Amino acid sequence: GAPPRPGVRVAAAAPGEQKHVLRVREKESGTNVLLVGTMHYNPSSVKKVDKIVRSSNLSSVVVELCPGRMAALERFQPRGSTLRWLLDNEMQAAKDAAVDTKVPSVILGDSSDDEVKNRMSLVVNQTVKDLLSPTHGWKSIARDLFTVTPQLIGKRGKKLGISDLFDVDLLLGTPVSFARNLLTIFMRLPIPTTVLLMVIVALQHANDVAASVLPGVQQALPEGTGGPPLLLSSDFLGTLSTDLLIAAFAAYMLTALVLVRASVVVLLLERDAILANSIRECCKRADSSQTVVAILGMAHCNGVAKLLKDGETHKKLAKRILETE
């Protein structure tokens, strides 16, 4: 048969590792790139990343973290610590494996937290303005939402899609991933997380408390008073509750739309472009026998692959930034 293409050694050595991995050839340099899709903090993803990095002839490993976040992780849970064992993750595993195998460069290729926060603020403000403009604004929101949908759904054999989430090993590790994410949030933001949990519990029991109080008030009233005051009547409370529920639902849906749009633009589309640019820079320095591996969340893989294969530039991204500044 035909000899394998240079740089693509993971598939030949370990066919099972093909799950959640996209192979692309970067258009400008012709360098082979492996995009490894992960579920954050999932033991299956951690194991896969470690094997791929250690079994490949790599010029670079690109990690979906910025220098600030990686430094914070390594201070909080350094290699060999109990916290690292408890909150093990694919990003630190990739860096450790690359250091152990002497990969020439480990690139922290994501945007910084400050950049993400600033962009989120700008896009949230722009989305509020767009909601007030049915002609142009609504069309702009729909464009962003429809742009990201094909990237998330994918096509079997060509992209990562919903079916990839139902991998047995990934599913078995999902409870651990969920618990690690919650624990990470709680340990880094203990006060806000505790307050949020208290509010959720209070809201959950609010109806039970109201239902127990009203009958007691009714029994305490003297006979012949015509029942409880209007503000305590079940009809009034029922109507008020319905009105508040409708208003709360409408506010929730509008808030959700604003946050979803901002997340689609900043956390997906724009970060796809930033990650793709980091990978492209690594490809320029790689030789023909080496591969660039990028460790990404699964949601980024399809978008980054498209940017690398099609040779797209940042023109659309630059235009979006100018529109929302």
Side-chain angles (χ1 to χ4, degrees), residues 97-119:
V99 171
D100 291 347
T101 55
K102 295 180 172 54
V103 174
S105 64
V106 178
I107 304 299
L108 304 174
D110 204 355
S111 52
S112 69
D113 286 345
D114 288 340
E115 290 171 339
V116 170
K117 289 175 184 176
N118 291 337
R119 291 293 302 144

Side-chain angles (χ1 to χ4, degrees), residues 23-238:
R23 299 188 195 187
V24 297
R25 187 181 290 274
E26 197 273 319
K27 186 174 182 179
E28 295 178 10
S29 65
T31 302
N32 290 301
V33 179
L34 292 183
L35 305 178
V36 184
T38 67
M39 178 183 287
H40 298 318
Y41 290 99
N42 191 299
S44 174
S45 293
V46 175
K47 182 179 179 181
K48 181 186 299 294
V49 163
D50 183 76
K51 284 187 176 181
I52 288 177
V53 173
R54 292 182 187 276
S55 63
S56 307
N57 177 27
L58 304 181
S59 68
S60 304
V61 173
V62 180
V63 177
E64 186 203 322
L65 280 180
C66 68
R69 276 184 286 161
M70 179 61 85
L73 263 181
E74 294 185 331
R75 284 196 305 269
F76 184 71
Q77 50 190 67
R79 188 176 188 180
S81 66
T82 303
L83 275 177
R84 171 63 187 277
W85 172 82
L86 186 64
L87 301 173
D88 200 11
N89 60 91
E90 69 285 356
M91 301 303 173
Q92 283 183 287
K95 183 178 179 182
D96 291 345
V99 171
D100 291 347
T101 55
K102 295 180 172 54
V103 174
S105 64
V106 178
I107 304 299
L108 304 174
D110 204 355
S111 52
S112 69
D113 286 345
D114 288 340
E115 290 171 339
V116 170
K117 289 175 184 176
N118 291 337
R119 291 293 302 144
M120 285 289 287
S121 177
L122 289 170
V123 177
V124 164
N125 291 335
Q126 183 62 44
T127 303
V128 172
K129 295 177 183 177
D130 287 342
L131 285 172
L132 300 176
S133 173
T135 53
H136 173 73
W138 292 8
K139 183 178 179 180
S140 178
I141 293 173
R143 175 202 64 192
D144 290 333
L145 297 181
F146 282 118
T147 296
V148 80
T149 300
Q151 294 181 194
L152 295 179
I153 295 176
K155 294 180 180 179
R156 189 171 181 83
K158 296 183 179 180
K159 299 179 180 180
L160 299 187
I162 294 175
S163 62
D164 289 286
L165 295 175
F166 294 96
D167 172 70
V168 174
D169 291 337
L170 201 66
L171 287 175
L172 290 175
T174 297
V176 177
S177 174
F178 183 73
R180 283 175 170 174
N181 275 285
L182 288 181
L183 188 58
T184 299
I185 295 171
F186 178 76
M187 294 181 73
R188 293 176 185 176
L189 301 169
I191 295 177
T193 306
T194 302
V195 171
L196 178 61
L197 291 174
M198 291 173 64
V199 170
I200 292 173
V201 172
L203 290 175
Q204 184 177 358
H205 294 285
N207 287 335
D208 294 338
V209 172
S212 64
V213 169
L214 184 57
V217 173
Q218 292 174 327
Q219 291 177 4
L221 290 172
E223 294 184 3
T225 57
L230 177 61
L231 291 179
L232 292 178
S233 69
S234 59
D235 290 342
F236 177 80
L237 289 176

